[in-house]
Structure formats: C-alpha cells, structure tokens
C-alpha cells in the first residue's frame, strides 16, 4: 500500500512537471466567435464562398487598473484559382496597467477545398508572426 501511494505521488509530480513545459500561452478570447470564425479554425477561410471582413473588440474589466484590451481583424475570401480560400488575421492584445504586456500577431491562411460526392473536405495551413513585448519600466515590484 505504501509503495502504491509513493508511485502515484511520483507519477503525479512527473506528469505535472511535463505539462508545464508544453503550455505555451493563450489566445485572447472573444465572445460572438461566429462573426470571426477564422479565430476558431483556419479551415473556415473562404468556406462561405464569398468575401468576409470581421472586426472584434474586447475590453475586460474596464473599470479596474490592469484591464485587458484585445482587437482582431479577419479578412477571407474564396479564390477559384487556388482551389480554396485565402485569409488574413491580425490580433492585438494588451494587458496590465499602462499595457505592460502586449502581443501582436499577423497570420496568413490558405485553405484547400476538395469537393467529394456528398461532402467537402478542407485542409488549411496558417503561418503566423507573433511579437510579445513586456515593458519592464512599467512593472511594479513590491518589497
């Protein structure tokens, strides 16, 4: 019984330490995701068959210092010449007092569409440039 408890404790510690190594970050969350579906899945680029433009804005806890402000722009269109959809996403996320932590990303999306007899298959690729900035001079350290 003692061996089993030690084994479970060791297994829990190892699994938790490994999980922290693969947690890279979090995308900003928006409500009303159906208006900018490429934020959910890049395979939606051009899937409507027409051009779309989506703008999203989120301000979380606006009356508190250290709020979160996020903006997203999504443009996509179906292009017959490439047999699929093309899309572009730009996201700006600011967090902290005086925007201490800021991240900006630009993504290009290609979605290949293959029509079958009764269904459609989408294969998508997304290339992203991401820049994160931390303004050390605006950080507050407590003694």
């Amino acid at each position: 019984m003692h061996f089993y408890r030690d084994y479970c404790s060791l297994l829990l510690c190892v699994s938790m330490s490994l999980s922290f190594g693969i947690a890279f970050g979090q995308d900003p969350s928006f409500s009303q995701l159906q208006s900018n579906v490429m934020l959910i899945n890049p395979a939606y680029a051009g899937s409507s068959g027409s051009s779309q433009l989506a703008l999203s804005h989120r301000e979380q806890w606006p009356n508190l210092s250290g709020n979160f402000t996020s903006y997203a722009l999504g443009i996509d269109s179906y292009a017959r010449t490439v047999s699929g959809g093309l899309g572009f996403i730009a996201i700006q996320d600011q967090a902290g007092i005086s925007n201490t932590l800021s991240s900006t990303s630009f993504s290009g999306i290609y979605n290949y569409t293959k029509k079958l007899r009764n269904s459609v298959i989408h294969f998508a690729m997304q290339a992203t440039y991401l820049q994160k900035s931390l303004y050390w001079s605006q950080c507050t350290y407590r003694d």
Side-chain angles (χ1 to χ4, degrees):
M1 186 68 161
H2 181 68
F3 172 76
Y4 179 74
R5 187 182 60 197
D6 290 341
Y7 178 75
C8 288
S9 298
L10 178 65
L11 185 62
L12 179 66
C13 290
V14 169
S15 65
M16 287 182 63
S17 65
L18 291 176
S19 68
F20 289 120
I22 56 176
F24 294 110
Q26 180 178 349
D27 292 333
S29 60
F30 293 95
S31 61
Q32 307 296 324
L33 281 174
Q34 69 274 11
S35 64
N36 197 350
V37 293
M38 288 187 305
L39 292 173
I40 301 170
N41 187 349
Y44 282 118
S47 63
S48 67
S50 63
S51 299
Q52 294 181 350
L53 171 69
L55 297 168
S56 302
H57 170 75
R58 175 190 76 134
E59 193 162 347
Q60 184 177 357
W61 306 320
N63 294 332
L64 299 175
S65 62
N67 61 341
F68 296 89
T69 306
S70 304
Y71 307 93
L73 165 71
I75 301 169
D76 71 297
S77 180
Y78 182 78
R80 263 192 210 119
T81 56
V82 294
S83 301
L86 299 173
F88 173 78
I89 298 175
I91 299 174
Q92 170 72 37
D93 189 32
Q94 301 167 343
I97 301 170
S98 301
N99 303 324
T100 306
L101 179 63
S102 176
S103 67
T104 305
S105 67
F106 300 99
S107 300
I109 298 170
Y110 170 66
N111 173 22
Y112 175 74
T113 303
K114 179 68 176 170
K115 294 183 181 179
L116 302 174
R117 273 186 252 159
N118 297 329
S119 60
V120 178
I121 297 176
H122 297 276
F123 300 99
M125 295 184 295
Q126 179 175 351
T128 301
Y129 169 77
L130 173 67
Q131 178 184 3
K132 287 194 175 271
S133 302
L134 177 63
Y135 299 104
W136 293 98
S137 61
Q138 296 175 358
C139 292
T140 305
Y141 302 100
R142 298 189 181 176
D143 295 332

